[in-house]
Amino acid sequence: ARVVVLVSGSGTNLQALLDAIARQGPAYGAEVVAVGGDRADIEGLRRAERAGLPTFVCRVRDFATRQEWDQALAEAVAAHRPDLVVSAGFMKIVGPAFLARFGGRFLNTHPALLPSFPGAHGVRDALDYGAKVTGCTVHFVDAGVDSGPVIAQEAVPIREEDDESTLHERIKQVERRLLVDVVGRLARDGYSIKGRKVFIP
Ligand code: GRF
């Protein structure tokens, strides 16, 4: 399966995918064919360049309206003919044009156990709430924020001494493994929800 990954930050989830593909080769079932970002100078794009992958940048402020950005992002992704699109720390909400093209084959990874703590500060929100357990979720993206069908989740304990960064790093250890597992399984076996084929490789 051809995978396009969208990033906004350090790209360690992307790196986990690249490392798994390098380690497992064709048996993994998926290859990252391009990496896109919502701005230029981010580590995630540099990781892609180091891996010799095509990259693209689609910045909201380069467009007159959000709809034009949404359309441009969809076209930039479509140019790489993906079977699957993965948001790995991509911090923008895509719109109807993007979802019309990639809905049902667009995954997101979120550092909390959805539906708890959706949004851009899931790690901090769980910590501030005083939760004892949080975790990470890989889900299909729908029109909402972190609200699409859940594919996989795993719990991560919150420790007394945790701050946002120590907790986020512990979550990311799990998240990288979960994302690599889900992308590989989808690519090899597809995915159905209650018997209904949702994603066909
Ligand atoms: C991940 O925890 C992701 O769930 C969240 O932002 C983080 C991105 O980390 N949205 P990285 O850029 O993959 O290192």
Side-chain angles (χ1 to χ4, degrees), residues 4-7 14 18 32-37 44-45 48 53-57:
V4 169
V5 181
L6 300 178
V7 294
L14 162 69
L18 296 177
V32 176
V33 294
V35 177
L45 291 176
L53 293 173
T55 60
F56 59 87
V57 174

Side-chain angles (χ1 to χ4, degrees), residues 31-125:
E31 55 169 335
V32 176
V33 294
V35 177
D38 57 345
R39 54 197 169 80
D41 57 340
I42 50 176
E43 181 58 20
L45 291 176
R46 285 193 283 275
R47 291 178 190 275
E49 287 155 11
R50 285 199 290 272
L53 293 173
T55 60
F56 59 87
V57 174
C58 200
R59 293 187 313 183
V60 172
R61 67 166 177 273
D62 289 345
F63 297 87
T65 66
R66 186 78 183 204
Q67 288 75 5
E68 286 169 52
W69 170 80
D70 184 43
Q71 183 61 38
L73 181 68
E75 285 162 14
V77 170
H80 296 283
R81 295 178 289 109
D83 300 299
L84 207 53
V85 186
V86 174
S87 159
F90 186 64
M91 299 306 273
K92 291 288 184 300
I93 304 301
V94 298
F98 194 92
L99 289 173
R101 309 258 311 240
F102 301 109
R105 28 202 203 106
F106 182 32
L107 307 186
N108 180 50
T109 172
H110 181 74
L113 292 175
L114 294 174
S116 297
F117 311 119
H121 306 290
V123 177
R124 184 195 315 163
D125 294 343

Side-chain angles (χ1 to χ4, degrees), residues 7-15 44 47 87-91 108-112 119-120 123 136-137 146 168-169 171-172 175-176 179:
V7 294
S8 292
S10 54
T12 62
N13 277 284
L14 162 69
Q15 192 61 55
R47 291 178 190 275
S87 159
F90 186 64
M91 299 306 273
N108 180 50
T109 172
H110 181 74
V123 177
C136 50
T137 303
D146 299 326
H168 202 168
E169 189 44 41
I171 293 170
K172 281 179 154 187
E175 185 175 27
R176 295 169 192 143
L179 183 63

Side-chain angles (χ1 to χ4, degrees), residues 1 5 35 67 77 103 119 123 142 154 158-159 163 176 180 191:
V5 181
V35 177
Q67 288 75 5
V77 170
V123 177
D142 67 6
E154 188 165 323
I158 298 179
R159 297 196 180 128
D163 61 17
R176 295 169 192 143
V180 165
Y191 187 76

Side-chain angles (χ1 to χ4, degrees), residues 134-147:
T134 186
C136 50
T137 303
V138 180
H139 64 98
F140 284 111
V141 176
D142 67 6
V145 177
D146 299 326
S147 58

